[in-house]
Amino acid sequence: MPDLLANLNPEQLAAVTLPDEPALILAGAGSGKTRVLTTRIAWLLQNGRVSPAGVLAVTFTNKAAKEMQARLSALLPINTRGMWIGTFHGLCNRLLRAHYHDAGLPQTFQILDSQDQLSAIKRLLKALNVDDEKYPPKNLQYFINNAKEQGLRSGQVEANDAFNRKFVELYAAYEAQCLREGVVDFAELLLRCYELLQHNEPLRVHYQARFRHILVDEFQDTNRLQYAWLKLLAGQHNAIFAVGDDDQSIYAFRGANVGNMADFEREFHVRHLIKLEQNYRSHGNILDAANALIAHNAHRLGKNLRTDAGHGEPVRVFEAATDLQEANWLIEEIKALINQGAARQDVAVLYRSNAQSRVLEHALVGAGIPYRVYGGLRFFERQEVKHALAYLRLMENPRDDTAFARVVNFPARGIGARSLEQLADAARLYNCAMFEAVPYMTGKAGTNLGAFVKLIEQMRAETRQSTLPETVEYVIQGSGLNAHYQTEREGQDRLENLQELVHAAAAFVSEEGYGLDAPARMLAVRSRAQALPGTDGEAGGTVVDADTPIEMTPLAGFLSHASLEAGDNQAEAGQDAVQLMTVHAAKGLEFAAVFVTGLEEGLFPHENSAMEQDGLEEERRLMYVAITRAKERLYLSFTQSRMLHGQTRYNVRSRFFEELPEGVLKWLTPRVAAGSRWTGNDSAWGRNWFGKPQAPAQPEAWAATPGDVALAQRSRAAEAGFRVGQGVFHTKFGEGIIVGLEGSGADARAQVKFGRHGTKWLALSVAKLQAID
DNA sequence: GGGACATTGATTTTT
DNA sequence: TCAATGTCCC
């Protein structure tokens, strides 16, 4: 038996061997978090503290779940099958599939992804004749998801004004529509699962008795509902082992509630709080920078990273005149790194927002450096793939109007908007699905729609005996998708993706290790039928738990899989390429060399964050995440001007520079004191970009470029006492932040972003702007 | 039904 | 700027 505990540092060891009680592990960046998590599980099993069936480990992403699974099987020779390792959504799906009846769902319920949800909402608004200008579908979607994540049904949401009452009313209508169609959105998976456990005592007692150990990854990212769900499962006696890092909480905007960490500590009377502060990733200077930066945040649980590695290289800082120049400098630096022996994939270029990648990509293409951009469309989100899945969904569940609307006229079958409106009216009249309303249609519309229904039914009949990949292949042909894309000029890629979908189906069927939460996998798990008194009447009191094989076609399993795991982000992973991504996307990753670009006020920290509660602190955590990605080399860069949304913007360097210790920084360009930058200080004129001395620019030349003109204008605006990023107060609009300045003297104007009033240009000579801190 | 044209909006994003 | 979405028209 291998010694699991060998090579753990004292804190890691303490965490792994904690008693069976609630515990909070504050795991700093690069501190061996996943190792502790997996070793903890292995240790519990090895010492007979729990059987595999008593373990539930939950993550946010499929990737993390898979990694945990893989590392666990590497640690332990035993079969880990009884264990539940998966994402919140995957595990909830699994529970709901097993107990669909108790949960009030049809057996064939389908999962809507965000795209599907939005189209369902648009369809709803249309059906109810709601003005989508006044009630934008996206806002309603946010409203609904937000409510669900607070655990609130439409009847429980408080609405104090007519506008919100309308939203609540629409939320209720949406709930009804989903129920009628047999579909659930992502938030619904969680909420419904929560309600299932909450209202069904025997079930709750059963699962509470089962999962003695619940382990949670990235605990700082949990939302209120996920926390409540965990609390419910844990009951009074189970041990939650929560691992997270409040300093890396960067998802408040999608409902993550760092407060869950403090709540957990309090509500569970956590006696074991362990900090993992030993960092195995970065050199000293990089950690010093990270520690100093994050110390500026007020609300922290408190943590300081340390390393045994030396100081290493200094953190290099570069100031560019324009985004173009920043990109060119980046290219030169990357080339140099590669010349020094770095692999391209060891180099990451990070940015705050996706829009920044364009100019960087352009430069990389020009330099002939292979690169890979993370983010963008994923496999199962592609139009052609979603079309094919919609046909499959319709065959599985004809009540799914979202799927129906998506493909009823794609490829074109002469079923226009008018026919569909009539059909929707009929469906409403008879309170049935659009699919079921087709027989009520007459005339040409009736004929065409009837043919569509026949097609679906025929495909379903024809594939009754087929394997899943055969079914998918059949549908791609039979639906006419294949023929359609063959005639389309740029349909080649789409055809390949459709073929890839057949492969994905084959892989889904044959693959052993696609994750325990994948529903089809349940078929392989041996029955553990247990007597659960009082639940659901079906088998005379003998009730099954979610390990029991349930009747589900491979197709149904595949459709869940497609919704819950959107697939890889584009680009061939194999190639040695420079990695481009947002800072958010970089969380959890590490690279030998990291470039953090666009470190400018307004961009990073982002101007919108100034309006958000604790927005700046979250931006700072984001910066902290960016810094701690680097192992050996860290570059920080910013520009004086940048093209954004078709306009050149003039920025000052990010305030974060002022929060980094001078001693670890190496300025590749002269450091200009903050604040003196725009006052016409001479030091700004004699800049030398690549360490080479450069003659001061001629005033004419200085004024010749657009950037410089604006620079001069800014200087004058600054004389009036204003600068970009400055907080101001306006008697009518309230507090705001300056995001732009132009003109001088009587023409000087400031662009100010106000909370409720949006962004406005104000003439400084007219508007009474007061500087605030 | 699809191409041409206008409009809009643009942090971050997993499930 | 530029992509995605919506609208108009034949």
Side-chain angles (χ1 to χ4, degrees):
Chain A
M1 191 72 77
D3 185 3
L4 292 170
L5 308 179
N7 301 323
L8 292 177
N9 69 34
E11 294 81 33
Q12 292 175 331
L13 181 70
V16 165
T17 57
L18 281 173
D20 302 358
E21 289 172 28
L24 180 58
I25 313 300
L26 278 185
S31 66
K33 175 196 71 167
T34 310
R35 181 162 183 220
V36 165
L37 214 36
T38 49
T39 312
R40 166 75 173 173
I41 297 174
W43 183 82
L44 289 170
L45 294 171
Q46 198 178 54
N47 289 280
R49 285 172 167 265
V50 69
S51 70
V55 174
L56 182 137
V58 56
T59 63
F60 276 87
T61 64
N62 293 297
K63 198 177 150 204
K66 272 186 200 157
E67 192 187 339
M68 205 188 286
Q69 182 93 335
R71 288 176 63 164
L72 201 54
S73 9
L75 279 180
L76 275 186
I78 71 160
N79 191 341
T80 55
R81 278 206 163 170
M83 229 179 294
W84 280 33
I85 299 180
T87 62
F88 279 101
H89 294 84
L91 296 175
C92 287
N93 179 47
R94 183 170 173 175
L95 279 162
L96 292 175
R97 293 285 170 196
H99 307 290
Y100 65 91
H101 192 266
D102 289 337
L105 291 173
Q107 187 169 17
T108 55
F109 76 83
Q110 303 290 314
I111 301 166
L112 300 183
D113 67 14
S114 311
Q115 272 180 49
D116 296 333
Q117 185 189 29
L118 188 62
S119 28
I121 287 172
K122 283 181 181 164
R123 190 156 38 77
L124 177 79
L125 294 184
K126 193 164 261 172
L128 297 178
N129 256 322
V130 174
D131 180 2
D132 58 4
E133 298 259 303
K134 198 169 173 203
Y135 304 99
K138 281 221 170 89
N139 293 10
L140 181 57
Q141 182 180 29
Y142 175 82
F143 180 88
I144 291 171
N145 290 337
N146 190 256
K148 288 188 180 185
E149 281 165 13
Q150 306 294 325
L152 301 174
R153 289 290 174 193
S154 57
Q156 303 167 299
V157 181
E158 270 188 55
N160 301 317
D161 55 73
F163 190 77
N164 275 297
R165 270 193 291 279
K166 185 71 180 176
F167 263 11
V168 172
E169 182 192 321
L170 293 170
Y171 176 15
Y174 172 77
E175 280 175 322
Q177 175 176 292
C178 287
L179 215 53
R180 177 157 38 78
E181 297 179 8
V183 296
V184 300
D185 57 50
F186 286 137
E188 183 72 24
L189 279 173
L190 286 159
L191 181 54
R192 198 160 275 262
C193 187
Y194 172 78
E195 289 170 343
L196 171 72
L197 294 171
Q198 187 184 39
H199 300 315
N200 191 325
E201 198 190 346
L203 266 187
R204 182 176 70 245
V205 168
H206 170 73
Y207 284 107
Q208 283 179 347
R210 175 177 172 169
F211 296 121
R212 303 262 77 146
H213 284 273
I214 298 171
L215 301 97
V216 194
D217 190 21
E218 305 279 18
F219 192 73
Q220 78 283 353
D221 288 340
T222 50
N223 62 33
R224 301 267 314 260
L225 180 55
Q226 286 159 339
Y227 179 69
W229 184 82
L230 288 166
K231 214 170 148 180
L232 206 52
L233 265 186
Q236 290 302 305
H237 305 293
N238 297 331
I240 292 189
F241 188 84
V243 180
D245 181 357
D246 55 325
D247 289 335
Q248 291 189 72
S249 162
I250 55 173
Y251 285 112
F253 70 91
R254 65 176 195 211
N257 176 30
V258 217
N260 285 347
M261 297 184 90
D263 288 354
F264 174 64
E265 207 183 340
R266 195 181 62 250
E267 294 175 2
F268 284 77
H269 311 291
V270 171
R271 296 196 300 138
H272 312 284
L273 189 152
I274 293 179
K275 297 180 183 179
L276 304 180
E277 296 175 295
Q278 179 75 29
N279 174 288
Y280 296 99
R281 179 185 294 154
S282 312
H283 285 165
N285 284 334
I286 294 169
L287 286 191
D288 287 349
N291 284 329
L293 178 92
I294 202 67
H296 286 82
N297 271 2
H299 311 292
R300 299 178 63 211
L301 296 173
K303 198 165 38 40
N304 221 34
L305 295 177
R306 56 170 194 273
T307 179
D308 288 341
H311 293 301
E313 307 260 333
V315 176
R316 291 170 168 80
V317 182
F318 183 80
E319 173 174 10
T322 66
D323 46 352
L324 217 75
Q325 194 191 33
E326 181 188 45
N328 289 331
W329 161 77
L330 195 88
I331 297 292
E332 293 309 314
E333 208 64 48
I334 290 175
K335 277 186 187 164
L337 287 172
I338 292 170
N339 273 339
Q340 289 163 30
R344 285 188 286 265
Q345 61 199 2
D346 292 335
V347 178
V349 181
L350 310 185
Y351 35 80
R352 175 68 234 276
S353 65
N354 288 303
Q356 289 166 251
S357 77
R358 178 169 300 278
V359 60
L360 301 172
E361 286 186 66
H362 188 79
L364 284 160
V365 168
I369 300 174
Y371 65 92
R372 178 179 179 203
V373 187
Y374 283 73
L377 259 200
R378 300 153 105 243
F379 181 73
F380 285 111
E381 290 168 358
R382 292 173 181 282
Q383 183 208 92
E384 61 277 18
V385 174
K386 293 220 73 161
H387 282 327
L389 290 172
Y391 279 102
L392 293 164
R393 262 162 64 169
L394 219 42
M395 288 159 62
E396 185 74 13
N397 171 16
R399 286 158 61 198
D400 186 341
D401 281 2
T402 303
F404 184 94
R406 180 169 194 112
V407 291
V408 65
N409 199 35
F410 192 96
R413 327 189 145 81
I415 301 168
R418 202 152 313 141
S419 306
L420 288 179
E421 246 166 66
Q422 286 171 25
L423 182 65
D425 287 343
R428 214 164 320 130
L429 183 64
Y430 295 101
N431 192 30
C432 65
M434 288 166 90
F435 194 94
E436 295 159 337
V438 166
Y440 301 112
M441 301 290 286
T442 54
K444 179 169 151 275
T447 315
N448 290 344
L449 280 163
F452 176 71
V453 164
K454 266 210 192 98
L455 172 70
I456 299 296
E457 282 171 345
Q458 176 247 326
M459 291 200 297
R460 185 166 45 204
E462 284 294 321
T463 55
R464 195 148 281 155
Q465 306 295 325
S466 311
T467 65
L468 178 63
E470 284 167 359
T471 303
V472 175
E473 177 71 48
Y474 185 89
V475 166
I476 288 170
Q477 301 297 335
S479 62
L481 285 176
N482 201 67
H484 173 85
Y485 286 121
Q486 235 143 28
T487 61
E488 206 175 59
R489 256 178 299 126
E490 289 170 20
Q492 205 48 47
D493 281 355
R494 299 197 191 276
L495 285 172
E496 281 170 24
N497 287 327
L498 287 176
Q499 215 45 54
E500 191 51 43
L501 186 65
V502 179
H503 293 150
F508 179 81
V509 172
S510 70
E511 209 174 292
E512 276 282 12
Y514 45 68
L516 270 172
D517 57 327
R521 180 63 172 275
M522 288 177 217
L523 297 166
V525 178
R526 187 170 303 127
S527 167
R528 293 190 341 115
Q530 301 192 9
L532 285 181
T535 15
D536 193 63
E538 284 177 63
T542 310
V543 173
V544 294
D545 87 352
D547 272 346
T548 309
I550 53 174
E551 270 180 57
M552 179 183 291
T553 61
L555 176 54
F558 184 58
L559 291 173
S560 286
H561 169 77
S563 303
L564 289 176
E565 185 161 4
D568 259 345
N569 274 334
Q570 56 198 12
E572 316 86 80
Q575 207 191 13
D576 180 24
V578 171
Q579 316 278 302
L580 267 66
M581 66 192 86
T582 62
V583 180
H584 283 90
K587 186 166 161 238
L589 306 177
E590 60 176 34
F591 307 91
V594 169
F595 292 82
V596 187
T597 64
L599 282 163
E600 296 133 41
E601 281 295 302
L603 241 195
F604 199 177
H606 198 277
E607 59 202 25
N608 293 3
S609 72
M611 293 303 155
E612 287 156 14
Q613 178 88 19
D614 295 321
L616 188 65
E617 293 219 343
E618 176 135 326
E619 293 291 303
R620 193 175 283 113
R621 290 192 291 268
L622 197 54
M623 181 66 184
Y624 176 78
V625 167
I627 292 174
T628 52
R629 298 310 95 198
K631 293 199 273 192
E632 292 151 32
R633 275 212 182 206
L634 177 62
Y635 294 87
L636 309 174
S637 66
F638 63 101
T639 74
Q640 294 167 16
S641 73
R642 175 180 298 279
M643 188 67 113
L644 203 66
H645 306 325
Q647 280 189 318
T648 308
R649 294 182 35 150
Y650 304 95
N651 299 316
V652 289
R653 70 168 178 246
S654 170
R655 70 190 69 190
F656 295 147
F657 284 106
E658 269 53 62
E659 302 175 358
L660 298 174
E662 188 77 39
V664 306
L665 301 182
K666 177 179 175 183
W667 287 71
L668 303 177
T669 45
R671 176 174 193 157
V672 180
S676 68
R677 152 59 79 212
W678 311 116
T679 59
N681 186 325
D682 275 357
S683 67
W685 302 76
R687 72 191 61 257
N688 52 346
W689 295 118
F690 294 95
K692 292 178 204 136
Q694 194 185 322
Q698 296 299 310
E700 289 88 333
W702 184 239
T705 70
D708 300 335
V709 170
L711 180 70
Q713 288 172 344
R714 290 177 60 98
S715 303
R716 268 166 274 159
E719 282 162 22
F722 293 107
R723 58 178 171 79
V724 172
Q726 176 162 42
V728 291
F729 181 79
H730 185 274
T731 45
K732 186 159 159 224
F733 303 130
E735 288 187 6
I737 187 166
I738 297 186
V739 297
L741 286 166
E742 68 170 36
S744 61
D747 296 331
R749 302 196 306 152
Q751 191 180 26
V752 186
K753 195 172 179 70
F754 295 101
R756 289 193 308 123
H757 299 280
T759 306
K760 301 200 184 314
W761 278 105
L762 301 168
L764 291 177
S765 54
V766 179
K768 300 273 179 293
L769 283 183
Q770 238 181 316
I772 54 173
D773 232 329

